[in-house]
Amino acid sequence: MLRNPYVRTIILSRILLQLGVWVRNFAILLYVTEITHNDPMYVSLISVVEYAPVFLFAIIGGTFADRWPPKRTMMISDALSACSVFVVLLVVMSGSWRALLLATLASAILSQFSQPSAMKLFKQHVPEEQLQSVMAMFQSLTAFFMVIGPVIGAFIYEHYGIEVSLILMCGMFIGSALILGMLPRDLPADTGKVKSGIMAEVKSGLNYVWSSTVLKNLGAAFAFAGLAAGLIQPLGIFVIMENLGKDRGFLQWVMMANGAAMLLGGMLIMSRGKAVKPQTLLAFGLLVSAAGTAGVGWSHNTLLTITLQTATGFFYPCIHIGINTLLLRNTEAAYMGRVGGIMGPMFMGFMVMGMSAAGYLKGAIPLGAVFSVSGVLFLIAMLVLLPLVRAKEPGRQTIRG
């Protein structure tokens, strides 16, 4: 896979971007927490500016990614992110710390244009039989930075401060843009194709998803899985304190075990999972998540809880690898950006709904029951995918929108 210049170059670019994002996330979080004396409004605003662009710009970014040359789009996005961070650095040095939120917002918006372009390049230049392994490689990269990213971000901020953190972040984005410049030239556009308006292309993307049985089933699975993930995401600290009787600081060790297991799971799929159908990987990952989530909610044994978290972490890459592989295999290159722009907000939207309901449910029913509800939702997502698992050649037909 690494012999493929597109895979090799985009991976190098993503390494720098991941470093920049984790430095951004933790440096800004720690700085805002310190400067506002733990003001919950400003701390929560950090999450808002990270997630809001997914809802507001994902489908628009995906539509433009389908219209624009992918290499150029990715390079310009990274370069503009670097420029925005540099401007924010100047403002912060003059004393206005609130501009840090603008840096997060700008890079989050621009990523909605860059990410679909990378998927489009994979669709165009990676053989179909290698797509699953490429997705496994990217999932392993993400898991790796989930383990070391918080450590790096916190270390840089605590030892060098917010200005150095922003300078490093700017350098990472510039480095990513320069690395992407090593990609071969974009394929020539279809000169005879007349482009319609933006809203017409958005509608065309929605029709394309609706006309595909595979994409509709994936969308439903996205919704249930997002809701399930959202229900338990804010409640991990209560598992540590109420079920296990530990200090809240113990949560970081559980999360590190989960992240390390995700890394190992992704690497195993990358090396051994080529023969497994992506829909089977996805369904199995959801099934393990259903059982593991319910078990974590009711467990009062530290070793059992860590074991269940490790098991769900190990098989969690099956979900993301299966989803991304199915999207790539069952989406024409011309619709790649819009399909990703529709599916991403669907997962994120239901996850936010779950996060909003988590506190209410926690007060109304036992903690174990909330985790059981989440497990049932993961199970429903798996059942939605059963028609794809049973199909011999799911969704290989050409679908027109």
Side-chain angles (χ1 to χ4, degrees), residues 203-224:
K203 183 179 178 180
S204 176
L206 292 170
N207 291 335
Y208 182 85
V209 172
W210 186 253
S211 68
S212 166
T213 301
V214 174
L215 295 181
K216 280 194 295 185
N217 282 22
L218 279 176
F222 258 54
F224 285 111

Side-chain angles (χ1 to χ4, degrees), residues 281-349:
L281 277 179
L282 176 53
F284 188 71
L286 290 169
L287 182 61
V288 172
S289 292
T293 298
V296 166
W298 292 106
S299 171
H300 288 75
N301 181 278
T302 301
L303 180 60
L304 176 60
T305 298
I306 293 177
T307 301
L308 290 172
Q309 286 278 22
T310 302
T312 55
F314 185 80
F315 289 102
Y316 194 72
C318 295
I319 298 176
H320 285 280
I321 293 166
I323 285 173
N324 288 324
T325 303
L326 284 169
L327 287 179
L328 283 168
R329 286 185 177 179
N330 294 281
T331 305
E332 298 173 33
Y335 288 88
M336 199 69 246
R338 280 166 287 178
V339 170
I342 293 168
M343 293 295 185
M346 187 173 297
F347 180 86
M348 292 297 302

Side-chain angles (χ1 to χ4, degrees), residues 354-370:
M355 293 169 64
S356 302
Y360 172 78
L361 287 177
K362 169 68 172 60
I365 60 178
L367 182 64
V370 180

